[in-house]
Structures are given as structure tokens and as C-alpha cells.
Amino acid sequence: MSPPSIPSRRLAELLDWDETSSQEHFDAMDRLFESISDPEEVIALARAWWADPDERVQALGFDLLAVQALDFCWHVPPLIEAADALPLDRAHKHVREAAAHALATICDDERVLFPLLRFAADPDADIRWQVARGIPVGVDPLPEDAVRVLLVLMRDPDAEVRDWATMMLGSCAENDTQQIRDAFVERLDDPGENTAGEAAVALAIRRDPRVLPTLKRVLATLDVGNLYVEAAAELGDPRLLPLLEKLKTDGWQDDDEPRPQVLDQALQACASRPASLA
């Protein structure tokens, strides 16, 4: 099937964007997607763009399929095929980033997992972040290859990459080995507050007692983040109850909307667990 014709002026407009106008760019891609009624025409246009010698146009092929990733599944096989065909050592950063982004937006289809993992060693932190944040939800346990990648990304120089890798592996409770737990312990002292908090939650989910000293220390401060209170709820250790009660007395829960619920959950969990099981 021949791809739909895109006027040169419109193509130029689609190519004229940067990080500050990314929302406008993807809004324009969304409008283009919506204007094409036949899925086969959408794929034909993406394939035509992937075959273009201009790397900016190649990237548009991935952007076109990224904008409707949560609403359709017919575009997943050709997207995977195109992403797998990229020579990562020669493909331009624009193309690699667009491909990783398109795969990462499909958060509910485990078929994209292994194609996405190919991008985990990319020299660009934004692309590695796409891998960390794009692990499909509901895959629990994760396969060993995915675990190995996330363990590496948990030590990434970029704080956002570490944060998402820690959160994604931490949420997969069925992945529970000594190596994984030790990696979370290592992240308890991470300079990124969110990463450290996600590590605490991950250890609490796995009932690892090594998180308890951290929770005792952090919960004693009024500026403690929500993640540590969530970790207390997961751990359910009665030794944390006095600290949680003091947070409530001091009005910690009044600072933002999610706090009353998470604090009440933590109080209930720590009050209902017998001390003998702590």
C-alpha cells in the first residue's frame, strides 16, 4: 500500500521542534495519526519515513506510532520490527531516542520488553531512562535478562535512570534474590531522594530487615518523603508505630493530598502486626 501523501510544508513543521516544544510536536503527530483512517496507511507512512535517508524523518516514523500506543495493538509488530532492525552503533541519536520512546510508551504489552532492553547500554542518559521507565507493567517476575539490565541501570550515573530502574524492579515482588536485595540496600544511601525511597519500599515489600534502621532514622524527621511512609506500611513493623504517630501529631499528613491515606495505612499496618513477628 502506498503511504498517504504529506505536504512538504507539513513535513517541515513536524520536523521543526526541540525539547522545549515536544508536547506541541506530539500533539501534531497525534492529529496526523487521527487523520489517517486506515491502519495499513499508518504503517505504510511509518515504513516510508523509516526508509528516508534523513534521520529526522526516520525518527518521525517512530513518533507516529508512539502517540497512540495505549489505544491500539496492531502497530506493535511493525514497531518492534523497525526497532530491532536499527544498527544501534550507527543509528543517529534522534532515531534511537524515538525508537526507545515509542517502545516505552507501550506499557501494557510484554512483547516490547526485549526490543526495549537493546537500548539499555546507550551512551545517552535519556535513552537509558526510556528503558528504565518503559518496562511493561504486569510482567512479574521479570525474566533474568530484564533483571540484569535493571540492576545495571540502578547504578547508572543519571539519577532519573536509577530512580526508575529501582522502582520498576522493586515493584516486581516475585523477583526476590539475595543479589536483588543487596542492590536495593546499596541504593538506600543514594544521593537521589526518590531512588533511596524506592529502595526502601522495595526492601519493605520483601520484608528485608535491613531497611528498618533507615526507616527509623528517616521517619524521625518531619520532612520525610511519602515513599518512606509507604515503606513503613509495607513492612508493618510495630517498632515504627511511635514515629508514625508523632508524624500524625505534628501534622505531616497536612502537606499534600496523598499523605493522609498513606500515613493511615502505615499506622494500621504497624499497629496490627504483633511485636513478636517484628
Side-chain angles (χ1 to χ4, degrees), residues 94-131:
H94 294 328
V95 183
R96 302 194 318 271
E97 186 168 21
H101 170 256
L103 291 168
T105 57
I106 307 173
C107 60
D108 59 351
D109 192 326
E110 62 184 72
R111 289 179 294 176
V112 304
L113 176 59
F114 288 103
L116 184 62
L117 294 180
R118 289 186 66 225
F119 294 82
D122 198 279
D124 189 272
D126 289 339
I127 297 174
R128 299 194 304 275
W129 174 78
Q130 295 289 356
V131 177

Short mmCIF file of all heavy atoms in Angstrom, two decimals, residues 94-131:
data_model
loop_
_atom_site.label_atom_id
_atom_site.label_comp_id
_atom_site.label_asym_id
_atom_site.label_seq_id
_atom_site.Cartn_x
_atom_site.Cartn_y
_atom_site.Cartn_z
N HIS A 94 18.76 10.81 17.37
CA HIS A 94 17.34 11.13 17.20
C HIS A 94 16.52 9.88 16.94
O HIS A 94 15.42 9.71 17.47
CB HIS A 94 17.15 12.09 16.01
CG HIS A 94 17.75 13.45 16.22
ND1 HIS A 94 17.83 14.04 17.45
CD2 HIS A 94 18.29 14.33 15.33
CE1 HIS A 94 18.38 15.24 17.33
NE2 HIS A 94 18.69 15.43 16.06
N VAL A 95 17.07 8.99 16.12
CA VAL A 95 16.35 7.77 15.75
C VAL A 95 16.32 6.80 16.92
O VAL A 95 15.27 6.22 17.23
CB VAL A 95 16.99 7.12 14.52
CG1 VAL A 95 16.20 5.89 14.08
CG2 VAL A 95 17.08 8.12 13.36
N ARG A 96 17.45 6.64 17.59
CA ARG A 96 17.49 5.73 18.74
C ARG A 96 16.53 6.19 19.83
O ARG A 96 15.80 5.39 20.42
CB ARG A 96 18.92 5.64 19.31
CG ARG A 96 19.97 5.18 18.32
CD ARG A 96 21.27 4.78 18.98
NE ARG A 96 21.71 5.66 20.04
CZ ARG A 96 22.49 6.73 19.89
NH1 ARG A 96 22.91 7.08 18.67
NH2 ARG A 96 22.89 7.45 20.92
N GLU A 97 16.53 7.48 20.09
CA GLU A 97 15.67 8.02 21.15
C GLU A 97 14.20 7.86 20.78
O GLU A 97 13.37 7.50 21.62
CB GLU A 97 15.99 9.49 21.41
CG GLU A 97 15.23 10.07 22.59
CD GLU A 97 15.76 11.42 23.01
OE1 GLU A 97 16.42 12.09 22.21
OE2 GLU A 97 15.51 11.81 24.17
N ALA A 98 13.85 8.12 19.52
CA ALA A 98 12.46 7.98 19.09
C ALA A 98 12.01 6.52 19.16
O ALA A 98 10.88 6.24 19.57
CB ALA A 98 12.30 8.51 17.66
N ALA A 99 12.88 5.60 18.78
CA ALA A 99 12.53 4.18 18.84
C ALA A 99 12.33 3.72 20.28
O ALA A 99 11.35 3.03 20.60
CB ALA A 99 13.62 3.35 18.15
N ALA A 100 13.27 4.10 21.15
CA ALA A 100 13.14 3.71 22.56
C ALA A 100 11.90 4.32 23.18
O ALA A 100 11.18 3.66 23.96
CB ALA A 100 14.40 4.12 23.33
N HIS A 101 11.62 5.56 22.85
CA HIS A 101 10.42 6.22 23.38
C HIS A 101 9.16 5.52 22.92
O HIS A 101 8.24 5.29 23.71
CB HIS A 101 10.40 7.69 22.95
CG HIS A 101 9.13 8.39 23.24
ND1 HIS A 101 8.19 8.67 22.26
CD2 HIS A 101 8.59 8.84 24.40
CE1 HIS A 101 7.16 9.28 22.80
NE2 HIS A 101 7.36 9.39 24.09
N ALA A 102 9.10 5.17 21.65
CA ALA A 102 7.90 4.51 21.12
C ALA A 102 7.68 3.16 21.81
O ALA A 102 6.55 2.81 22.17
CB ALA A 102 8.03 4.32 19.61
N LEU A 103 8.75 2.41 22.01
CA LEU A 103 8.61 1.12 22.70
C LEU A 103 8.19 1.34 24.15
O LEU A 103 7.36 0.60 24.69
CB LEU A 103 9.94 0.36 22.65
CG LEU A 103 10.37 -0.16 21.28
CD1 LEU A 103 11.82 -0.63 21.34
CD2 LEU A 103 9.47 -1.29 20.79
N ALA A 104 8.75 2.35 24.80
CA ALA A 104 8.48 2.58 26.22
C ALA A 104 7.06 3.05 26.47
O ALA A 104 6.54 2.88 27.58
CB ALA A 104 9.47 3.60 26.78
N THR A 105 6.43 3.64 25.46
CA THR A 105 5.05 4.11 25.66
C THR A 105 4.06 2.95 25.68
O THR A 105 2.93 3.12 26.16
CB THR A 105 4.63 5.09 24.55
OG1 THR A 105 4.77 4.47 23.27
CG2 THR A 105 5.45 6.36 24.59
N ILE A 106 4.46 1.79 25.20
CA ILE A 106 3.56 0.63 25.17
C ILE A 106 3.75 -0.12 26.49
O ILE A 106 4.42 -1.14 26.57
CB ILE A 106 3.85 -0.27 23.96
CG1 ILE A 106 3.82 0.55 22.68
CG2 ILE A 106 2.84 -1.41 23.87
CD1 ILE A 106 4.27 -0.19 21.46
N CYS A 107 3.17 0.41 27.53
CA CYS A 107 3.46 -0.07 28.88
C CYS A 107 2.68 -1.31 29.28
O CYS A 107 2.88 -1.84 30.37
CB CYS A 107 3.21 1.05 29.90
SG CYS A 107 1.52 1.65 29.93
N ASP A 108 1.78 -1.78 28.41
CA ASP A 108 0.94 -2.91 28.80
C ASP A 108 1.08 -4.10 27.85
O ASP A 108 0.22 -4.97 27.82
CB ASP A 108 -0.53 -2.48 28.86
CG ASP A 108 -1.03 -1.94 27.53
OD1 ASP A 108 -0.20 -1.74 26.62
OD2 ASP A 108 -2.25 -1.72 27.40
N ASP A 109 2.16 -4.16 27.09
CA ASP A 109 2.36 -5.25 26.14
C ASP A 109 3.78 -5.79 26.30
O ASP A 109 4.76 -5.14 25.94
CB ASP A 109 2.16 -4.74 24.71
CG ASP A 109 2.06 -5.86 23.68
OD1 ASP A 109 2.73 -6.89 23.87
OD2 ASP A 109 1.31 -5.71 22.70
N GLU A 110 3.88 -6.99 26.86
CA GLU A 110 5.20 -7.53 27.18
C GLU A 110 6.03 -7.86 25.95
O GLU A 110 7.23 -8.14 26.06
CB GLU A 110 5.07 -8.77 28.06
CG GLU A 110 4.34 -9.94 27.45
CD GLU A 110 4.18 -11.08 28.45
OE1 GLU A 110 3.37 -10.93 29.38
OE2 GLU A 110 4.88 -12.09 28.30
N ARG A 111 5.44 -7.80 24.76
CA ARG A 111 6.21 -8.06 23.55
C ARG A 111 7.32 -7.04 23.34
O ARG A 111 8.31 -7.31 22.65
CB ARG A 111 5.29 -8.08 22.33
CG ARG A 111 4.38 -9.28 22.24
CD ARG A 111 3.48 -9.20 21.01
NE ARG A 111 2.53 -8.09 21.09
CZ ARG A 111 1.68 -7.77 20.11
NH1 ARG A 111 1.70 -8.46 18.97
NH2 ARG A 111 0.83 -6.78 20.27
N VAL A 112 7.16 -5.84 23.90
CA VAL A 112 8.17 -4.80 23.68
C VAL A 112 9.35 -4.92 24.64
O VAL A 112 10.34 -4.20 24.48
CB VAL A 112 7.56 -3.39 23.81
CG1 VAL A 112 6.39 -3.22 22.86
CG2 VAL A 112 7.14 -3.09 25.24
N LEU A 113 9.28 -5.83 25.60
CA LEU A 113 10.31 -5.87 26.64
C LEU A 113 11.70 -6.10 26.07
O LEU A 113 12.62 -5.30 26.30
CB LEU A 113 9.96 -6.94 27.68
CG LEU A 113 11.02 -7.16 28.78
CD1 LEU A 113 11.26 -5.88 29.56
CD2 LEU A 113 10.59 -8.29 29.72
N PHE A 114 11.90 -7.18 25.35
CA PHE A 114 13.24 -7.50 24.87
C PHE A 114 13.73 -6.52 23.81
O PHE A 114 14.91 -6.13 23.83
CB PHE A 114 13.30 -8.95 24.38
CG PHE A 114 13.25 -9.93 25.51
CD1 PHE A 114 12.09 -10.63 25.79
CD2 PHE A 114 14.36 -10.14 26.33
CE1 PHE A 114 12.04 -11.52 26.85
CE2 PHE A 114 14.32 -11.02 27.39
CZ PHE A 114 13.16 -11.72 27.66
N PRO A 115 12.86 -6.05 22.89
CA PRO A 115 13.33 -4.99 21.98
C PRO A 115 13.78 -3.74 22.74
O PRO A 115 14.76 -3.09 22.35
CB PRO A 115 12.10 -4.70 21.11
CG PRO A 115 11.34 -6.00 21.10
CD PRO A 115 11.54 -6.56 22.47
N LEU A 116 13.08 -3.39 23.81
CA LEU A 116 13.45 -2.21 24.59
C LEU A 116 14.78 -2.40 25.30
O LEU A 116 15.59 -1.48 25.39
CB LEU A 116 12.34 -1.89 25.60
CG LEU A 116 12.50 -0.64 26.45
CD1 LEU A 116 12.54 0.61 25.57
CD2 LEU A 116 11.38 -0.54 27.48
N LEU A 117 15.03 -3.61 25.79
CA LEU A 117 16.27 -3.86 26.53
C LEU A 117 17.51 -3.64 25.66
O LEU A 117 18.60 -3.40 26.19
CB LEU A 117 16.28 -5.29 27.08
CG LEU A 117 15.23 -5.62 28.14
CD1 LEU A 117 15.36 -7.07 28.58
CD2 LEU A 117 15.33 -4.69 29.35
N ARG A 118 17.38 -3.72 24.35
CA ARG A 118 18.52 -3.49 23.46
C ARG A 118 19.12 -2.10 23.66
O ARG A 118 20.31 -1.89 23.40
CB ARG A 118 18.09 -3.60 21.99
CG ARG A 118 17.77 -4.97 21.48
CD ARG A 118 17.53 -4.92 19.97
NE ARG A 118 18.72 -4.58 19.22
CZ ARG A 118 18.76 -3.69 18.23
NH1 ARG A 118 17.67 -3.02 17.88
NH2 ARG A 118 19.89 -3.45 17.58
N PHE A 119 18.31 -1.16 24.13
CA PHE A 119 18.75 0.23 24.22
C PHE A 119 19.37 0.55 25.59
O PHE A 119 19.74 1.70 25.84
CB PHE A 119 17.56 1.16 23.97
CG PHE A 119 17.02 1.09 22.56
CD1 PHE A 119 16.13 0.09 22.21
CD2 PHE A 119 17.39 2.01 21.61
CE1 PHE A 119 15.61 0.01 20.91
CE2 PHE A 119 16.89 1.95 20.31
CZ PHE A 119 16.00 0.93 19.96
N ALA A 120 19.51 -0.43 26.45
CA ALA A 120 19.90 -0.17 27.84
C ALA A 120 21.33 0.33 27.98
O ALA A 120 21.65 0.99 28.97
CB ALA A 120 19.70 -1.43 28.68
N ALA A 121 22.19 0.01 27.03
CA ALA A 121 23.59 0.43 27.14
C ALA A 121 23.88 1.67 26.31
O ALA A 121 25.04 2.00 26.06
CB ALA A 121 24.51 -0.71 26.71
N ASP A 122 22.84 2.38 25.89
CA ASP A 122 23.04 3.56 25.05
C ASP A 122 23.86 4.61 25.78
O ASP A 122 23.70 4.79 27.00
CB ASP A 122 21.68 4.14 24.65
CG ASP A 122 21.78 5.08 23.46
OD1 ASP A 122 22.16 6.26 23.66
OD2 ASP A 122 21.51 4.62 22.34
N PRO A 123 24.75 5.32 25.08
CA PRO A 123 25.53 6.36 25.75
C PRO A 123 24.71 7.56 26.21
O PRO A 123 25.18 8.34 27.04
CB PRO A 123 26.55 6.77 24.67
CG PRO A 123 25.96 6.35 23.37
CD PRO A 123 25.16 5.13 23.68
N ASP A 124 23.50 7.70 25.69
CA ASP A 124 22.66 8.84 26.06
C ASP A 124 21.76 8.49 27.24
O ASP A 124 21.01 7.51 27.20
CB ASP A 124 21.81 9.27 24.86
CG ASP A 124 21.09 10.58 25.12
OD1 ASP A 124 19.97 10.53 25.66
OD2 ASP A 124 21.65 11.64 24.79
N ALA A 125 21.80 9.29 28.29
CA ALA A 125 21.03 9.01 29.51
C ALA A 125 19.53 9.04 29.25
O ALA A 125 18.78 8.27 29.86
CB ALA A 125 21.39 10.00 30.61
N ASP A 126 19.07 9.92 28.36
CA ASP A 126 17.63 9.99 28.08
C ASP A 126 17.12 8.67 27.49
O ASP A 126 15.98 8.27 27.76
CB ASP A 126 17.33 11.13 27.11
CG ASP A 126 17.49 12.50 27.76
OD1 ASP A 126 17.43 12.57 29.00
OD2 ASP A 126 17.68 13.48 27.03
N ILE A 127 17.94 8.01 26.71
CA ILE A 127 17.54 6.75 26.09
C ILE A 127 17.56 5.64 27.14
O ILE A 127 16.65 4.79 27.18
CB ILE A 127 18.44 6.43 24.89
CG1 ILE A 127 18.24 7.51 23.82
CG2 ILE A 127 18.12 5.04 24.32
CD1 ILE A 127 19.17 7.40 22.62
N ARG A 128 18.57 5.63 27.98
CA ARG A 128 18.59 4.63 29.07
C ARG A 128 17.39 4.84 30.00
O ARG A 128 16.82 3.87 30.51
CB ARG A 128 19.90 4.73 29.86
CG ARG A 128 21.15 4.46 29.03
CD ARG A 128 22.37 4.23 29.89
NE ARG A 128 22.66 5.31 30.81
CZ ARG A 128 23.36 6.40 30.52
NH1 ARG A 128 23.83 6.57 29.29
NH2 ARG A 128 23.60 7.33 31.42
N TRP A 129 16.99 6.09 30.19
CA TRP A 129 15.80 6.37 31.01
C TRP A 129 14.55 5.79 30.38
O TRP A 129 13.67 5.28 31.08
CB TRP A 129 15.65 7.88 31.20
CG TRP A 129 14.40 8.27 31.91
CD1 TRP A 129 14.15 8.18 33.26
CD2 TRP A 129 13.19 8.78 31.32
NE1 TRP A 129 12.87 8.62 33.55
CE2 TRP A 129 12.27 8.99 32.38
CE3 TRP A 129 12.81 9.09 30.03
CZ2 TRP A 129 10.99 9.50 32.15
CZ3 TRP A 129 11.54 9.59 29.80
CH2 TRP A 129 10.64 9.79 30.86
N GLN A 130 14.45 5.85 29.05
CA GLN A 130 13.30 5.26 28.38
C GLN A 130 13.22 3.76 28.68
O GLN A 130 12.12 3.21 28.87
CB GLN A 130 13.39 5.48 26.86
CG GLN A 130 13.31 6.93 26.41
CD GLN A 130 11.93 7.54 26.57
OE1 GLN A 130 10.98 6.86 26.96
NE2 GLN A 130 11.81 8.82 26.28
N VAL A 131 14.36 3.10 28.73
CA VAL A 131 14.37 1.67 29.05
C VAL A 131 13.89 1.45 30.48
O VAL A 131 13.03 0.60 30.75
CB VAL A 131 15.79 1.09 28.87
CG1 VAL A 131 15.82 -0.39 29.27
CG2 VAL A 131 16.25 1.24 27.41
#
